[in-house]
């Protein structure tokens, strides 16, 4: 897993936050419970709301990420709003060349759940897992099909967990 800090310029980060906020009052959202496979919904009682990033911001995001990403033919950028009790079970993003998460929250409380946890491939026999708490403008890049999950977001959080999910496809 690669962790890259300050992945987006401050200007682009703010534009993404603004666009996400504007989308809250539109009917452009899909629910993870309708199209995620059952294996990644195991023991998850919540849902993520998902909508595409606008074409304009998609192009800007792609330009700023390009030097960090493996080769791909198609890039998908989506906003995810992780509602209370949402998370994702252990998986390896096998249907994509790579997957990445960019954290959009200004700050995140460790007690709010939503931890990103992955199996350490450098020492696979030890069974060590690593984790990262969502942190503003950090990207976690899974370009080696590492097994990972997101712990359930706690109920009663003051703010939902906001991310941009980036997928590279052939």
């Amino acid at each position: 897993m690669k962790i890259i800090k300050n992945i987006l310029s401050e200007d682009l980060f703010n534009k993404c936050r603004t666009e996400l906020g504007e989308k809250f009052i539109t009917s452009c959202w899909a629910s993870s419970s309708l199209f995620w496979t059952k294996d990644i919904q195991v023991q998850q009682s919540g849902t993520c709301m998902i909508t595409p990033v606008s074409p304009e911001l998609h192009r800007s995001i792609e330009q700023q990420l390009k030097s960090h990403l493996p080769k791909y033919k198609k890039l998908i950028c989506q906003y995810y709003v992780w509602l209370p009790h949402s998370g994702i079970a252990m998986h390896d993003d096998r249907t994509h060349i790579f997957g990445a998460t960019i954290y959009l929250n200004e700050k995140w409380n460790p007690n709010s759940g939503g931890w990103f946890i992955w199996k350490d491939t450098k020492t696979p026999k030890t069974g060590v897992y690593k984790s990262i708490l969502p942190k503003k403008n950090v990207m976690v890049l899974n370009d080696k099909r590492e097994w990972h999950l997101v712990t359930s977001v706690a109920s009663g959080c003051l703010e939902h967990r906001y991310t941009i999910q980036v997928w590279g496809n052939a």
Side-chain angles (χ1 to χ4, degrees), residues 102-148:
I102 301 172
Y103 297 110
L104 296 178
N105 291 82
E106 293 288 335
K107 51 186 168 175
W108 190 255
N109 186 316
N111 292 323
S112 295
W115 286 82
F116 184 93
I117 301 174
W118 70 96
K119 189 171 185 177
D120 182 17
T121 58
K122 293 179 181 153
T123 55
K125 293 183 181 180
T126 64
V128 171
Y129 287 80
K130 294 186 175 184
S131 65
I132 184 171
L133 184 68
K135 188 169 181 185
K136 178 185 176 182
N137 205 15
V138 167
M139 181 173 79
V140 178
L141 173 63
N142 183 11
D143 60 352
K144 299 202 183 319
R145 292 199 169 96
E146 293 178 75
W147 287 91
H148 61 284

Side-chain angles (χ1 to χ4, degrees), residues 4-21:
I4 303 143
K5 297 177 181 177
N6 298 312
I7 190 68
L8 303 175
S9 68
E10 192 67 24
D11 181 56
L12 181 54
F13 179 87
N14 289 331
K15 285 179 180 177
C16 290
R17 285 280 308 197
T18 298
E19 180 176 75
L20 175 61

Side-chain angles (χ1 to χ4, degrees), residues 46-170:
T47 188
C48 289
M49 301 306 295
I50 302 164
T51 193
V53 170
S54 70
E56 175 191 347
L57 289 183
H58 185 286
R59 283 188 295 276
S60 297
I61 291 167
E62 187 168 11
Q63 284 300 313
Q64 290 190 16
L65 300 185
K66 201 183 315 185
S67 66
H68 299 281
L69 303 177
K71 290 183 181 181
Y72 59 89
K73 288 189 179 173
K74 181 179 181 183
L75 193 73
I76 298 167
C77 296
Q78 301 170 313
Y79 293 114
Y80 274 39
V81 177
W82 300 75
L83 301 175
H85 306 284
S86 66
I88 191 166
M90 188 67 79
H91 66 287
D92 66 358
D93 295 333
R94 73 180 75 113
T95 59
H96 307 283
I97 295 170
F98 64 85
T101 300
I102 301 172
Y103 297 110
L104 296 178
N105 291 82
E106 293 288 335
K107 51 186 168 175
W108 190 255
N109 186 316
N111 292 323
S112 295
W115 286 82
F116 184 93
I117 301 174
W118 70 96
K119 189 171 185 177
D120 182 17
T121 58
K122 293 179 181 153
T123 55
K125 293 183 181 180
T126 64
V128 171
Y129 287 80
K130 294 186 175 184
S131 65
I132 184 171
L133 184 68
K135 188 169 181 185
K136 178 185 176 182
N137 205 15
V138 167
M139 181 173 79
V140 178
L141 173 63
N142 183 11
D143 60 352
K144 299 202 183 319
R145 292 199 169 96
E146 293 178 75
W147 287 91
H148 61 284
L149 62 89
V150 174
T151 65
S152 295
V153 173
S155 60
C157 291
L158 299 177
E159 186 175 27
H160 299 302
R161 183 181 188 267
Y162 304 124
T163 63
I164 296 175
Q165 298 303 132
V166 181
W167 311 105
N169 293 331

